[in-house]
Amino acid sequence: MNTRYTRTEAAALPLLWRGDVLIAGGGSAGCAAAVAAARSGADVLLVEPAGFLGGTGAAVLDTFYGFYAPGGGRVVAGVGWELCERLLEDGQAFERPNTYGAGTGVTYEPEALKRAWDELVLGAGARVLHHARIVAVVLDGERVRGAVVDTAAGPGVVLARNTIDATGDAEVAWRAGAAVDRPAEQNRVQPLTATFRMGGVDLGATPVAELHRLMAAASGDYRLPRLDGSVHRTVLPGVVHTNLTRVSGVDATDPWQLSAAEREGRRQVAEYVRFLTERVPGYENAYLLGVSVRIGVRETRRLRGRYVLTREDVLGAREFPDAIARCGAPIEDHDGGNGTIWVYVGGGPSGRSYGVPLRCLVPERTGHLLVAGRCLSATHDAHASVRSMAQCMAAGQAAGTAAALATGDVADTDPAALRAALALHGALL
């Protein structure tokens, strides 16, 4: 199928929408971008393949990390924290220390998250198109002018002055011909995880350290690819959320590999459930409630932008004049093996953080396009820090604000003017 259309070719398809800002992907970054752009006065369309907003946050996980720096205070506010406040005030979330000292997390109820994003995005004035996938981009030379969207009614065209790629997989940037890195080709891609929930659990019966000891002791009797991980309480009594499985060596942009990974994730869930109910105190009467809607993907394509965030930038807590977000999350690398690599900003949980440059959202050449979320421009190590969902929301707010304020190519945004606008709307810089 053709993944690039000229405006003349696109004119042969039905026009579904024309406006100021097109956002591909309704996850943490895309939703924050839609809220920010619409509040800034833009006519906004958010295109999402699923029937709900929230992305990985609603389909796979139940805790936001990155709002707090380990050993310190909050480093992300703005739209993302407004979402958290709404959930906290409704009794649909609580703050919780991270098992590994990665900073306080905000654990929420995923079903409440879907509704909260509905209210924020639509309340801001953005339009949302569900069950729609961008399958091609509309180009004028190297400038993105819109996209071809596949819907239940067939393909149609959406046109915008500027576009934000918040797909996680850099789908729009890749289809437009922007330079991207493919971690799987370099044999350094983080593994995938199918999360699951269990009911009827007495979580207080087995501390996490004891759970890890039991996993190591039982590894010869069960096929447990990961011997650490997280099991934590949720908003619901007796229900725990479990992040234990590990499907390694998968290129999640390969449809066959991704399909196999979904099946392997479910197989691993069954094995971990068997281990928990047979060997772990507190799980004697536990039962599986459900597996994540889709397998969780940590890393696929990354934009090669005007700046590439590096390991040295992260660990050195570097500041940038064009910073549009802050991050204090450690490098959390699940790359192979049965453990996880943790390396902290500034060498330890000291509360230090670094800036995320606007240039990490801007393609080297492709015009009228920004990325936001985990497909931003970063090395493998830096990405293992900056991919946290709070940073995805902060980058989304920056991208949405820039796209709304731009009178021409959003790639030419003045960083100082953008930073001023973000600070006015509560962002921490």
Side-chain angles (χ1 to χ4, degrees):
M1 179 180 178
N2 182 17
T3 61
R4 301 177 194 173
Y5 282 66
T6 66
R7 297 186 73 172
T8 301
E9 291 170 332
L13 295 173
L15 179 63
L16 298 178
W17 176 86
R18 183 196 300 269
D20 299 320
V21 181
L22 168 65
I23 302 169
S28 294
C31 287
V35 172
R39 286 179 177 174
S40 298
D43 185 10
V44 179
L45 176 65
L46 176 60
V47 176
E48 166 55 41
F52 55 87
L53 296 177
T56 296
V60 181
L61 300 176
D62 77 336
T63 300
F64 294 136
Y65 285 113
F67 280 104
Y68 291 89
R74 193 151 42 85
V75 295
V76 172
V79 173
W81 191 247
E82 181 182 343
L83 171 77
C84 292
E85 286 183 321
R86 181 173 296 220
L87 293 167
L88 290 164
E89 289 169 2
D90 289 345
Q92 296 297 323
F94 58 88
E95 294 186 345
R96 177 177 62 82
N98 176 267
T99 302
Y100 300 92
T104 298
V106 180
T107 294
Y108 54 84
E109 172 52 40
E111 295 305 320
L113 177 68
K114 296 174 186 178
R115 283 284 295 144
W117 273 132
D118 280 345
E119 292 166 0
L120 277 172
V121 172
L122 296 174
R127 298 189 69 184
V128 179
L129 187 62
H130 284 294
H131 300 295
R133 187 180 184 91
I134 289 178
V135 295
V137 292
V138 179
L139 293 173
D140 180 2
E142 291 189 324
R143 294 169 295 197
V144 176
R145 296 303 191 188
V148 176
V149 180
D150 194 22
T151 74
V157 174
V158 290
L159 300 175
R161 186 174 73 245
N162 286 297
T163 298
I164 298 171
D165 183 345
T167 62
D169 296 327
E171 286 189 30
V172 176
W174 167 66
R175 292 179 190 277
V180 296
D181 288 325
R182 299 285 297 266
E185 293 177 356
Q186 303 156 9
N187 234 3
R188 287 203 74 194
V189 61
Q190 295 221 42
L192 288 65
T193 293
T195 61
F196 58 100
R197 281 187 157 196
M198 297 185 72
V201 178
D202 178 6
L203 187 60
T206 304
V208 172
E210 175 63 8
L211 173 64
H212 292 170
R213 189 194 69 79
L214 291 171
M215 282 196 285
S219 60
D221 300 322
Y222 301 87
R223 293 170 62 189
L224 307 179
R226 185 181 181 188
L227 301 180
D228 61 5
S230 170
V231 177
H232 60 257
R233 67 187 179 97
T234 69
V235 172
L236 306 175
V239 175
V240 298
H241 184 90
T242 308
N243 187 329
L244 293 175
T245 72
R246 176 165 288 172
V247 184
S248 300
V250 174
D251 178 357
T253 65
D254 180 307
W256 295 108
Q257 291 187 44
L258 183 58
S259 297
E262 292 280 10
R263 295 188 291 271
E264 172 60 15
R266 287 189 288 272
R267 187 204 65 76
Q268 289 186 20
V269 167
E271 187 73 346
Y272 276 102
V273 169
R274 186 170 75 91
F275 157 73
L276 291 166
T277 54
E278 291 179 354
R279 297 290 181 90
V280 180
Y283 286 82
E284 295 86 354
N285 300 309
Y287 46 90
L288 179 66
L289 284 173
V291 182
S292 51
V293 174
R294 60 175 185 264
I295 197 164
V297 178
R298 293 182 173 89
E299 183 179 25
T300 53
R301 303 183 195 95
R302 300 187 305 265
L303 178 74
R304 194 177 306 146
R306 294 184 181 177
Y307 186 81
V308 180
L309 192 71
T310 68
R311 177 188 180 94
E312 291 72 28
D313 295 332
V314 170
L315 299 185
R318 186 174 176 189
E319 300 293 346
F320 296 91
D322 64 334
I324 45 77
R326 300 207 64 77
C327 182
I331 293 174
E332 179 188 346
D333 193 348
H334 298 250
D335 186 14
N338 57 24
T340 304
I341 300 167
W342 295 83
V343 189
Y344 289 85
V345 178
S350 60
R352 297 184 68 187
S353 61
Y354 58 91
V356 181
L358 172 63
R359 288 165 291 162
C360 290
L361 313 184
V362 184
E364 290 177 330
R365 295 182 307 276
T366 308
H368 294 267
L369 175 69
L370 294 180
V371 305
R374 67 172 173 84
C375 54
L376 86 175
S377 180
T379 64
H380 173 83
D381 289 336
H383 179 267
S385 166
V386 77
R387 67 181 175 84
S388 295
M389 278 197 271
Q391 280 65 47
C392 289
M393 291 184 223
Q397 180 174 351
T401 303
L405 298 180
T407 56
D409 188 346
V410 68
D412 297 328
T413 294
D414 174 23
L418 175 59
R419 282 169 54 87
L422 290 172
L424 189 64
H425 288 91
L428 299 178
L429 302 173

